[in-house]
């Protein structure tokens, strides 16, 4: 799920970007002359610019993992009124960064022959995507992961927007099941209908796609397990077993309907129109496969580095994941060239040549920005948490992109 809070776009808006020319994905990021130059002072200066872009009304923490060890920087406190500094490794709701975890599981199942990316939604979920012009027989699993299905984003539904923006406190513990959220999307016509394979693809970010992808993963895994005499698993269990446990991510988990964070974290607060303060730290509505992962900067760097170095996917599925279509929902990065969206992954050009991989997460007052160089040697995660007002996402995105470009190019910040 994503929350685009400037202009009330969508609650968990798609900040992520990717490269339209996927051939660039094979080129590693590099610093000038191979010299390591980006240091602690550079990170601190870049992160200060991120905080300034949030008008100083945010707490920020960043971690850069390099072959020479990690760099860390932080500004702010553990919450409004607190005198404790921001934790170095705070737990936060990763929001739409969850989509990359979900996509990895689907691609693993494809590698095992339990499903095909060319399977239609109708094949696995008969009758679920139907009505108001929606047709699951024309949408493939690949379309879901690549955001080319044209399906309406359930988060954009006026009733959902009203509950989240105007009645947040009454709905913070909402745990509506994924099929019911999909049904909300089906009450709207699609934005477009995908064309035949091989034709130019339209793109539109929709959280609905990842609810359906997870439902298909559950059904495909269940069918295969039952044939082998075993039992099925939820998408949550699939991610926990296939990704989190495999990589030993000790501070990454999926709380489901549990509204609490278990480790060190920041309080999320937002000023209300009546002059009050809303504490949005505890919530349950981000419990599904588009938004349900909780993680830390160190764990997200480990996850994205493992992805880039082939630890999570066979070569064929990793290649498929990086095949992109153009996106149009993020600022142009410092390279001056827009990126593209793959299968739950954005591929973004670097100003020093090559690309990096990332997927942002935008929740209610919490913004996650992980990225990794194409060779997996350098990774950076920035976490932004509000203390008063909701941020100007465009300004913050540009500042984070500048930090990411500097850190992954391994050069002194301007």
């Amino acid at each position: 799920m994503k929350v685009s809070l400037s202009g009330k776009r969508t609650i968990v808006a798609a900040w992520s970007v990717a490269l339209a020319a996927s051939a660039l994905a094979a080129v590693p990021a590099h610093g000038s002359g191979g010299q390591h130059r980006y240091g602690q002072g550079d990170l601190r200066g870049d992160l200060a610019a991120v905080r300034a872009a949030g008008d100083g009304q945010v707490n920020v923490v960043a971690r850069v993992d390099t072959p020479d060890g990690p760099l860390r920087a932080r500004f702010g406190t553990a919450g409004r009124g607190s005198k404790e500094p921001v934790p170095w490794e705070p737990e936060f709701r990763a929001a739409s960064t969850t989509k990359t975890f979900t996509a990895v599981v689907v691609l693993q199942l494809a590698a095992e022959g339990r499903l095909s990316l060319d399977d239609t939604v109708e094949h696995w979920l008969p009758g679920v995507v139907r009505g108001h012009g929606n047709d699951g027989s024309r949408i493939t699993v690949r379309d879901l992961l690549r955001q080319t299905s044209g399906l309406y984003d359930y988060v954009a539904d006026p009733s959902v927007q009203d509950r989240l923006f105007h009645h947040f406190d009454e709905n913070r513990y909402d745990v509506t099941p994924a099929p019911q959220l999909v049904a909300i999307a089906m009450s709207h016509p699609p934005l477009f209908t995908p064309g035949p394979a091989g034709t130019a693809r339209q793109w539109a970010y929709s959280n609905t796609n990842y609810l359906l992808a997870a439902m298909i993963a559950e059904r495909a895994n269940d069918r295969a397990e039952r044939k082998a005499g075993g039992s099925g698993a939820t998408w949550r269990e699939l991610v926990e077993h296939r990704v989190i446990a495999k990589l030993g991510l000790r501070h990454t988990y999926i709380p489901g309907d549990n509204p609490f964070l278990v480790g060190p974290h920041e309080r999320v607060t937002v000023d209300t129109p009546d002059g009050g303060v809303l504490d949005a730290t505890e919530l349950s509505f981000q419990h599904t496969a588009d938004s349900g992962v909780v993680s830390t900067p160190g764990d997200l760097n480990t996850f994205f580095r493992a992805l880039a170095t082939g630890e999570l996917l066979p070569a064929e599925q990793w290649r498929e994941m990086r095949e992109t279509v153009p996106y149009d929902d993020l600022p142009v990065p410092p390279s001056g060239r827009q990126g593209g969206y793959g299968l739950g992954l954005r591929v973004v050009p670097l100003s020093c040549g090559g690309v990096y991989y990332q997927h942002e997460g935008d929740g209610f007052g919490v913004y996650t920005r992980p990225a990794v160089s194409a060779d997996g040697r350098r990774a950076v995660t920035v976490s932004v948490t509000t203390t008063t007002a909701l941020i100007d996402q465009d300004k913050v995105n540009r500042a984070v992109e500048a930090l990411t470009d500097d850190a992954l190019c391994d050069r002194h910040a301007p």
Side-chain angles (χ1 to χ4, degrees):
M1 184 189 281
K2 295 188 169 222
V3 185
S4 175
L5 299 163
S6 62
K8 291 189 181 176
R9 289 177 242 171
T10 357
I11 272 244
V12 189
W15 176 88
S16 351
V17 215
L19 185 67
S22 57
L24 287 174
V27 185
H30 58 276
S32 176
Q35 297 175 351
H36 302 296
R37 302 187 301 171
Y38 192 80
Q40 191 68 48
D42 299 298
L43 177 58
R44 189 169 176 81
D46 275 342
L47 192 62
V50 172
R51 194 180 196 211
D55 294 326
Q57 299 173 339
V58 292
N59 294 322
V60 291
V61 60
R63 173 173 172 145
V64 180
D65 280 295
T66 78
D68 301 320
L71 305 172
R72 295 184 179 91
R74 60 183 178 178
F75 291 98
T77 66
R80 190 169 183 156
S82 172
K83 295 182 179 179
E84 294 296 318
V86 178
W88 284 116
E89 286 290 327
E91 292 181 355
F92 46 76
R93 301 180 197 281
S96 282
T97 302
T98 299
K99 292 178 172 65
T100 309
F101 286 78
T102 300
V104 165
V105 166
V106 174
L107 287 162
Q108 288 175 345
L109 294 174
E112 295 162 11
R114 299 190 176 200
L115 58 81
S116 168
L117 296 180
D118 295 318
D119 288 342
T120 65
V121 175
E122 182 68 17
H123 171 77
W124 286 107
L125 305 172
V128 172
V129 175
R130 186 176 296 175
H132 295 93
N134 296 290
D135 184 354
S137 69
R138 301 185 65 175
I139 299 169
T140 66
V141 175
R142 183 182 282 103
D143 285 322
L144 297 177
L145 297 182
R146 197 170 52 186
Q147 307 281 16
T148 53
S149 72
L151 294 175
Y152 186 86
D153 186 351
Y154 76 90
V155 180
D157 178 83
S159 65
V160 175
Q161 290 277 300
D162 181 61
R163 291 199 298 272
L164 292 176
F165 281 112
H166 302 123
H167 303 281
F168 176 89
D169 221 18
E170 304 99 294
N171 293 282
R172 65 166 67 227
Y173 304 121
D174 183 280
V175 288
T176 301
Q180 292 182 34
L181 298 175
V182 170
I184 291 173
M186 293 307 104
S187 69
H188 299 269
L191 280 67
F192 56 83
T193 301
T199 60
R201 308 303 260 186
Q202 291 178 272
W203 184 90
Y205 193 95
S206 174
N207 291 285
T208 307
N209 289 326
Y210 276 76
L211 303 187
L212 290 164
M215 291 163 64
I216 289 171
E218 290 174 346
R219 190 157 296 187
N221 181 70
D222 182 65
R223 179 181 294 181
E225 290 296 319
R226 290 188 185 282
K227 283 183 180 179
S231 58
T234 64
W235 78 270
R236 173 182 176 178
E237 292 167 332
L238 290 170
V239 171
E240 288 172 341
H241 173 69
R242 289 171 169 267
V243 180
I244 296 173
K246 177 181 175 64
L247 297 179
L249 304 179
R250 297 179 58 196
H251 301 285
T252 299
Y253 55 97
I254 303 171
D257 58 5
N258 184 340
F260 302 105
L261 303 178
V262 301
H265 59 276
E266 304 159 65
R267 305 302 300 181
V268 183
T269 52
V270 181
D271 289 344
T272 58
D274 61 2
V277 177
L278 173 68
D279 188 318
T281 311
E282 277 80 46
L283 57 85
S284 301
F285 63 78
Q286 287 177 239
H287 66 282
T288 44
D290 57 336
S291 61
V293 166
V294 168
S295 195
T296 63
D299 272 8
L300 286 180
N301 282 356
T302 298
F303 168 64
F304 276 91
R305 291 178 93 179
L307 186 59
T309 55
E311 219 176 311
L312 289 171
L313 292 173
E316 176 60 20
Q317 281 66 43
W318 177 225
R319 180 192 64 78
E320 290 251 30
M321 194 175 198
R322 292 173 292 157
E323 288 188 355
T324 66
V325 293
Y327 69 89
D328 58 4
D329 64 333
L330 286 185
V332 176
S335 66
R337 294 172 295 142
Q338 196 60 284
Y341 198 96
L343 305 183
L345 193 72
R346 300 204 190 238
V347 185
V348 186
L350 283 162
S351 64
C352 56
V355 300
Y356 66 90
Y357 312 124
Q358 66 93 229
H359 201 299
E360 80 295 339
D362 293 340
F364 198 85
V366 181
Y367 309 87
T368 306
R369 302 289 184 266
V372 64
S373 60
D375 59 8
R377 288 170 58 81
R378 301 179 69 83
V380 55
T381 293
V382 179
S383 174
V384 179
T385 303
T386 61
T387 57
T388 56
L390 296 174
I391 66 169
D392 181 330
Q393 281 186 286
D394 228 32
K395 284 174 60 179
V396 171
N397 286 345
R398 291 180 191 281
V400 172
E401 286 183 346
L403 183 156
T404 302
D405 198 71
D406 289 339
L408 298 184
C409 284
D410 192 14
R411 60 156 178 256
H412 286 309

